[in-house]
Amino acid sequence: MIISTKQEIMEVLNMTQEQFEGEILPEAGRTADVHKEGSLQVRAMLGYDNICRNQCLYCGMRAANNTIQRYRLPAEDVIASAKMAKDRGFHHIFLISGEDPRYGFDNLLKIVEAIHKMGMHQSLACGEFEPEQYRELQAAGADEYVMKFEMSREETFNRLNPSTNFKKRMAAIEAVKASGMKLASGNIVDFPGQDREELAEDVLLMKELEISWAPVIPYMPAANTPLKEEGGFGSLLTNLKEIALLRLMMPDVDITAQQPGEDKKKGLADPEGNRNAVRAGANILFCDLLPDALARNFRVIDNRNVSGTEHLYQVAELTGKKLVF
């Protein structure tokens, strides 16, 4: 099945659920089986710093949110957590943080170098840096960098991300690609005010950027954020349509399977939500390394709930896929 134009993407986004589940979803699932060999990749995840200077209107860790307890894990603790993950059989770790200027780039390089020496693959999501710094991270051993464009229309991006701007974000994305690291990027699906035409443009931009991983989830309102006042949860069906489109348009891309279901309190570890995402072609699951006391405060969104490994095995059983750590 070939889908390549904005019009063709719009046709899928406008399908009824019955038509989508009959025509598109099965083909996306088969494509994932072929290109991902019937497996689900599991990554350890560590939010090592929830301090952020930015004021993104949708993010629960925005600087103005004074209802969460802030923390900053020392480099030694991050390295120890990675060692623990390695000893438990994980071969890939996702390090994520707020944009904290006081963490120290040298500390981040120290972490990346130490984890590289362990033989682990690393994906990072630490915000916007200078081009030279991305090259330093790649040289230290980082494999992939997550720099989401969030929304592909410049005016919308600038309104919702007042601490940066669209041109700066796209320049950072190009700097990541130029560094030699793989680029992970994507959008927020069905946030308040987004229309299907804009969503189609988001999908085309992911294709144009030749991303390695699409870390996409539907919009999930975070407490004490301005965007929460503008609308509720994004459509789960629309999110599944985007996952399927990405799988069909970019057969080898990794796609986040850690997705919400109808019971929003179960967060991203909802077995049904994860199963539905896998059926649509997603293949990446996470295990949070943070202790619960800290994980509750790494709140980009509310109810993340991806600690432990129990949910991973539930998803494997529900989907008949094998877990690859």
Side-chain angles (χ1 to χ4, degrees):
M1 180 177 293
I2 298 176
I3 298 174
S4 60
T5 68
K6 183 176 176 179
Q7 180 59 38
E8 289 167 340
I9 295 169
M10 290 286 291
E11 288 174 4
V12 174
L13 294 175
N14 287 325
M15 283 182 176
T16 64
Q17 182 171 348
E18 182 179 10
Q19 185 180 8
F20 168 71
E21 292 182 349
E23 298 178 18
I24 304 298
L25 188 143
E27 185 63 26
R30 285 191 290 270
T31 302
D33 282 341
V34 171
H35 288 264
K36 298 302 176 182
E37 299 178 340
S39 67
L40 300 175
Q41 185 184 119
V42 181
R43 299 179 180 181
M45 177 172 65
L46 182 64
Y48 64 89
D49 184 342
N50 74 343
I51 298 168
C52 192
R53 64 184 173 187
N54 294 336
Q55 299 285 7
C56 304
L57 271 62
Y58 47 82
C59 181
M61 291 189 341
R62 65 194 309 266
N65 187 358
N66 58 11
T67 65
I68 63 174
Q69 186 174 350
R70 303 288 178 167
Y71 67 87
R72 181 188 289 133
L73 295 183
E76 292 75 15
D77 290 0
V78 178
I79 294 168
S81 294
K83 177 65 166 57
M84 178 188 70
K86 172 76 175 188
D87 291 344
R88 292 171 59 186
F90 289 93
H91 292 89
H92 196 134
I93 187 167
F94 176 35
L95 299 177
I96 183 169
S97 73
E99 285 198 23
D100 179 4
R102 300 182 69 177
Y103 192 82
F105 188 73
D106 287 346
N107 282 326
L108 182 56
L109 285 177
K110 177 182 177 181
I111 290 167
V112 172
E113 289 171 349
I115 295 175
H116 180 63
K117 289 178 181 177
M118 296 177 199
M120 296 187 78
H121 294 289
Q122 300 177 71
S123 299
L124 308 179
C126 313
E128 295 178 355
F129 290 121
E130 295 299 321
E132 177 58 31
Q133 291 175 300
Y134 295 122
R135 292 192 289 270
E136 290 181 61
L137 288 169
Q138 191 277 335
D143 302 286
E144 182 177 55
Y145 201 92
V146 182
M147 180 64 68
K148 294 181 70 174
F149 61 80
E150 309 289 15
M151 52 282 305
S152 58
R153 290 185 178 172
E154 184 170 0
E155 181 180 354
T156 305
F157 182 95
N158 292 346
R159 180 178 78 85
L160 297 179
N161 298 271
S163 303
T164 184
N165 60 68
F166 187 74
K167 287 184 173 62
K168 186 179 178 183
R169 177 59 54 88
M170 294 306 296
I173 283 173
E174 290 304 323
V176 169
K177 294 180 68 175
S179 75
M181 288 186 289
K182 293 183 289 186
L183 170 69
S185 190
N187 63 339
I188 302 173
V189 180
D190 199 30
F191 61 84
Q194 184 189 56
D195 58 34
R196 289 176 178 173
E197 186 173 357
E198 181 174 4
L199 191 62
E201 293 165 4
D202 290 352
V203 173
L204 285 172
L205 181 54
M206 282 182 265
K207 171 74 171 175
E208 178 185 334
L209 291 172
E210 299 180 318
I211 60 172
S212 56
W213 166 29
V216 298
I217 59 172
Y219 173 67
M220 300 173 70
N224 302 298
T225 58
L227 196 59
K228 183 179 181 181
E229 307 305 314
E230 298 184 25
F233 283 85
S235 164
L236 298 180
L237 177 58
T238 299
N239 188 58
L240 292 177
K241 288 178 178 179
E242 176 168 306
I243 290 171
L245 283 164
L246 292 171
R247 176 57 64 211
L248 293 171
M249 295 173 67
M250 294 177 279
D252 292 317
V253 74
D254 289 322
I255 305 173
T256 297
Q258 208 83 58
Q259 301 287 350
E262 294 295 339
D263 185 351
K264 304 302 190 297
K265 291 182 180 180
K266 292 182 179 179
L268 298 179
D270 179 83
E272 296 300 321
N274 290 192
R275 181 201 64 180
N276 291 339
V278 172
R279 289 178 61 215
N283 68 300
I284 300 289
L285 294 170
F286 299 97
C287 175
D288 198 336
L289 300 180
L290 280 175
D292 288 344
L294 292 182
R296 284 193 293 270
N297 288 297
F298 198 86
R299 277 174 40 197
V300 176
I301 57 173
D302 293 346
N303 299 319
R304 288 169 64 246
N305 304 346
V306 293
S307 60
T309 58
E310 181 181 353
H311 72 280
L312 304 174
Y313 292 101
Q314 285 182 308
V315 176
E317 184 175 355
L318 285 170
T319 60
K321 311 290 185 186
K322 61 182 179 181
L323 298 178
V324 177
F325 289 84

